[in-house]
Amino acid sequence: MKRPQPPVSALPNTGPVEQTGPRQSAVRQWAIHWVYPRSQITPLGSSQIRIGRGPENDCVLEDASASRHHANIVLRGGEYFIEDAGSSHGIQVNNARVRADVLTDGTVVRLGSTVGVVVHAVSAATPPQIVAQHGLTKQLGSGKLLRVYEQARTLGQTQAPVFIHGETGTGKDALAYEIHWASARSGDFLPVNCATIRGDLASASLFGHVRGAFSGATASAAGLAHAAQRGTLFLDEVAELENDAQALLLRLLQNGELLRVGSTQPERVDVRVVSASHRSLEEWSRAAKFRADLFYRLAAHQISVPALRERKEDIVPLFLLLAERDARGVSAGFVSELLNHTFPGNIRELSNYATRLRSENNTVWGSHEFVRVARARESAPPTTLPERNSSAAPEAPGARSAAQLSREDWQELAQRYAGNAASIARSSGFSESSVKRYLKKFGLRDES
């Protein structure tokens, strides 16, 4: 019997939603998500919106540091602009004080002590919600993430393979579990990190082996795919899967059969396969780094998980949820720094900051605490770059020259540090001039 799905619940401390301007029936909407000191949403549907502390404004801010009439948002030439209306403390856009500026998707706006994010997306005027509260971890998001989880629940009711693409730390494993949960399959959800099973043991680990199949195989053994019988096998970082294991996985997807290493007798199994990677399988298959026929089988359906910087409106409520604090535990300056950070580590990195806040005795976290912790993270020892299809331990970037790194290596570094040459240089040990040269060579940094 199909398990009933729980209702999507709003975050308990989410404040009232202010609906200013006419309701928009268009699929795409503009809105400002005010995320601090309380949650409220201002859809941008009028040619001019007055913002301030006074009750006569279209958007009323409950903020003593805001002016009675603080700013205006005007529609001009098809674009929205925010303009200072002669306020006492001015306006900040992306941490810079301005008189006026254009608003684009992801723009961070601060008026007095009120901080918000401009959103241009499907269902922009959707308040933060717990989109998944069972299984691995709670996931909180507004319209962008809500649509992704709705897609996952719909695909969960099919039996076709699903491929999830997203940067490291975006919560691909939680989304995979959502697919399994929605499928109501009676077996277990079995996650496997393909990057950790290397060399000749990859095929045996996944699909089992018979006695004598290789040195040390003194008895037959079932693989991880056997353990997922009538359940879901989640192959995380599937792009790192060894070539021999790719061939056996293709057979499983085509025929529903497992072939143990060293055996000639296939076994029928009932296993749903969900896979994920931070890499583009389509690009890797075109570059002959991944079997094209396997890519087409795995990616019958694809889901893309947005990076945290692509849904800034979710950062503050998610941080407070993880830190087990309310808005009184952070300052407006801290919130501005948080929203303007690029978060190369996504939710995983945000969770680290939240853990730090929980462990410290500060009554309120200000911007200087965030900058201190963020800089400490950037100056940490060099991170490692995994070598695909190699059983040897991965090298740190500094162990090789800049010229020896592939385009994929540079792309991974650029994604991890949002194209910041200084941060990449600190983490890798390369000179900043070398980093800039190779970022430019591979087109990984906006030089404008």
Side-chain angles (χ1 to χ4, degrees):
M1 179 178 294
K2 195 74 172 177
R3 283 176 283 184
Q5 296 188 10
V8 177
S9 58
L11 195 63
N13 62 352
T14 297
V17 175
E18 182 180 280
Q19 299 291 348
T20 59
R23 288 186 176 274
Q24 299 184 24
S25 59
V27 175
R28 292 181 65 81
Q29 304 175 32
W30 280 101
I32 295 185
H33 279 237
W34 302 104
V35 297
Y36 181 87
R38 70 185 185 96
S39 175
Q40 65 184 73
I41 298 172
T42 303
L44 306 183
S46 302
S47 58
Q48 177 170 309
I49 296 174
R50 292 164 53 92
I51 305 174
R53 181 167 42 84
E56 70 277 6
N57 291 283
D58 303 303
C59 174
V60 179
L61 303 178
E62 296 180 8
D63 181 355
S65 63
S67 296
R68 185 175 184 90
H69 179 200
H70 201 113
N72 296 316
I73 295 179
V74 296
L75 181 62
R76 186 184 304 124
E79 292 184 307
Y80 283 102
F81 290 80
I82 188 166
E83 300 173 344
D84 194 343
S87 64
S88 300
H89 300 293
I91 62 176
Q92 291 185 24
V93 173
N94 295 331
N95 263 2
R97 182 161 180 168
V98 299
R99 291 290 303 170
D101 208 344
V102 66
L103 300 179
T104 60
D105 189 22
T107 297
V108 179
V109 176
R110 180 177 175 182
L111 310 179
S113 295
T114 302
V115 186
V117 180
V118 179
V119 181
H120 187 205
V122 176
S123 303
T126 303
Q129 302 171 353
I130 300 295
V131 296
Q133 50 189 349
H134 44 74
L136 299 176
T137 56
K138 289 184 177 180
Q139 296 293 311
L140 180 146
S142 301
K144 295 173 185 175
L145 194 65
L146 180 61
R147 289 183 64 248
V148 169
Y149 270 79
E150 289 173 345
Q151 183 183 5
R153 281 189 280 267
T154 299
L155 292 177
Q157 299 173 35
T158 72
Q159 297 302 314
V162 178
F163 173 68
I164 303 170
H165 180 258
E167 295 180 9
T168 298
T170 51
K172 298 186 292 294
D173 52 348
L175 191 65
Y177 186 86
E178 191 75 9
I179 295 172
H180 169 73
W181 185 89
S183 72
R185 293 180 66 85
S186 61
D188 294 332
F189 175 79
L190 188 63
V192 180
N193 189 331
C194 297
T196 65
I197 48 176
R198 298 286 190 172
D200 296 336
L201 295 179
S203 296
S205 298
L206 277 175
F207 304 105
H209 64 269
V210 297
R211 180 181 178 184
F214 49 82
S215 178
T218 58
S220 297
L224 295 169
H226 291 85
Q229 175 74 355
R230 292 183 295 278
T232 301
L233 179 65
F234 173 49
L235 301 176
D236 197 9
E237 297 303 340
V238 70
E240 315 304 323
L241 195 60
E242 299 289 342
N243 293 330
D244 290 346
Q246 288 184 34
L248 294 175
L249 177 58
L250 179 63
R251 179 167 189 157
L252 171 63
L253 294 171
Q254 285 179 327
N255 306 323
E257 294 178 344
L258 289 179
L259 189 63
R260 301 191 191 207
V261 175
S263 174
T264 59
Q265 298 297 321
E267 304 171 46
R268 297 288 299 177
V269 291
D270 175 16
V271 174
R272 169 80 176 278
V273 175
V274 176
S275 59
S277 179
H278 71 282
R279 304 188 189 276
S280 168
L281 281 191
E282 186 173 7
E283 291 180 5
W284 272 49
S285 64
R286 284 201 299 263
K289 295 181 178 180
F290 194 83
R291 292 184 63 128
D293 48 1
L294 179 56
F295 160 68
Y296 290 119
R297 289 284 181 177
L298 286 173
H301 298 287
Q302 298 189 54
I303 301 179
S304 181
V305 186
L308 198 55
R309 64 181 173 275
E310 295 171 348
R311 53 183 187 101
K312 291 182 179 179
E313 62 273 20
D314 298 338
I315 290 177
V316 172
L318 181 57
F319 176 84
L320 295 176
L321 180 70
L322 294 170
E324 300 175 358
R325 297 280 187 98
D326 57 28
R328 292 171 295 182
V330 295
S331 70
F334 169 79
V335 169
S336 294
E337 293 286 351
L338 197 68
L339 294 176
N340 282 286
H341 186 52
T342 55
F343 283 102
N346 291 288
I347 299 174
R348 192 172 298 139
E349 181 180 356
L350 183 71
S351 179
N352 288 342
Y353 293 132
T355 300
R356 187 71 171 264
L357 175 58
R358 288 201 310 269
S359 64
E360 294 191 357
N361 295 323
N362 304 43
T363 303
V364 177
W365 252 35
S367 59
H368 61 285
E369 279 92 357
F370 178 81
V371 172
R372 171 177 56 82
V373 175
R375 286 178 178 171
R377 180 188 181 279
E378 285 188 349
S379 61
T383 51
T384 57
L385 288 174
E387 291 293 325
R388 181 178 179 272
N389 292 337
S390 170
S391 57
E395 296 178 295
R400 293 175 285 169
S401 69
Q404 288 177 305
L405 296 187
S406 67
R407 187 188 189 284
E408 287 76 17
D409 291 337
W410 281 110
Q411 185 174 33
E412 188 166 336
L413 282 171
Q415 289 177 345
R416 187 176 301 163
Y417 296 103
N420 187 297
S423 298
I424 295 173
R426 281 194 295 269
S427 73
S428 65
F430 303 143
S431 69
E432 188 170 339
S433 60
S434 294
V435 172
K436 289 181 177 179
R437 183 169 67 253
Y438 282 97
L439 290 178
K440 183 177 180 180
K441 174 183 177 180
F442 293 119
L444 298 174
R445 189 181 190 189
D446 186 359
E447 297 294 322
S448 59

